């Protein structure tokens, strides 16, 4: 049962962890905006999300059926340690300067995305509870 819940919330968990990690990076950029020679750090989020979506489409519930030779086949490669790979800074973008205005905008935008993740997870739990109640 818990294994199924883990699979169901895997993508949500990754997204929530990424937004939390990005929030730390953006807060660090804002805090160090006046530090000489400081370079801003950020996550290449679209690249990570595309990677996660490609890898998760191989799960049985997302499995696509190819009924025509013109359909695009989906690769079966899957790496379960996406978060570790991201935190190991393979996806960190290093900018030369800190633009405090864009950092503040990104901080607020990332906060809203983090809250959206929480709302999505809460709604999934509500749906599961409604199914269990009948």
């Amino acid at each position: 049962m818990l294994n199924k819940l883990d699979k169901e919330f895997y993508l949500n968990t990754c997204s929530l962890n990424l937004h939390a990690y990005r929030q730390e990076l953006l807060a660090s950029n804002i805090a160090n905006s006046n530090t000489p020679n400081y370079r801003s750090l950020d996550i290449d989020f679209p690249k990570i999300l595309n990677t996660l979506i490609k890898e998760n489409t191989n799960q049985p519930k997302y499995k696509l059926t190819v009924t025509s030779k013109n359909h695009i086949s989906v690769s079966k490669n899957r790496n379960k340690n996406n978060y570790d790979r991201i935190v190991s800074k393979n996806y960190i973008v290093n900018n030369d300067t800190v633009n405090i205005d864009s950092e503040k905008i990104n901080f607020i935008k990332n906060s809203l995305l983090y809250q959206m993740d929480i709302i999505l997870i809460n709604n999934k739990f509500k749906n599961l509870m409604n199914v269990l109640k009948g």
Side-chain angles (χ1 to χ4, degrees):
M1 177 75 177
L2 290 177
N3 191 23
K4 289 182 180 179
L5 282 175
D6 282 346
K7 286 181 182 178
E8 185 65 31
F9 289 96
Y10 176 73
L11 192 58
N12 298 98
T13 305
C14 289
S15 178
L16 192 65
N17 287 335
L18 281 174
H19 285 118
Y21 185 64
R22 186 174 187 223
Q23 200 73 358
E24 290 176 21
L25 291 176
L26 294 171
S28 176
N29 290 342
I30 292 170
N32 291 303
S33 63
N34 292 328
T35 304
N37 299 324
Y38 179 77
R39 294 177 158 198
S40 68
L41 301 173
D42 201 356
I43 296 174
D44 190 357
F45 194 77
K47 185 177 179 181
I48 295 168
L49 185 61
N50 286 333
T51 302
L52 288 174
I53 288 172
K54 282 181 185 173
E55 291 174 357
N56 281 298
T57 54
N58 292 329
Q59 289 184 1
K61 71 177 186 178
Y62 298 116
K63 194 149 185 108
L64 301 175
T65 303
V66 179
T67 57
S68 168
K69 66 179 181 176
N70 295 329
H71 289 168
I72 299 171
S73 65
V74 180
S75 170
K76 294 188 177 186
N77 294 332
R78 181 177 162 97
N79 185 351
K80 292 188 175 188
N81 293 323
N82 292 316
Y83 184 70
D84 294 338
R85 193 174 51 187
I86 293 161
V87 173
S88 70
K89 300 184 180 186
N90 288 340
Y91 290 98
I92 301 295
V93 178
N94 193 351
N95 298 320
D96 289 337
T97 59
V98 178
N99 182 341
I100 190 71
D101 292 331
S102 67
E103 296 295 334
K104 286 180 180 176
I105 291 170
N106 286 335
F107 187 86
I108 292 169
K109 193 161 69 172
N110 193 59
S111 296
L112 293 173
L113 291 171
Y114 183 84
Q115 289 175 5
M116 183 185 74
D117 287 338
I118 291 173
I119 290 170
L120 287 173
I121 290 171
N122 281 338
N123 286 340
K124 269 189 169 180
F125 274 114
K126 284 179 185 174
N127 287 339
L128 284 173
M129 291 303 292
N130 284 337
V131 168
L132 291 175
K133 287 179 183 175

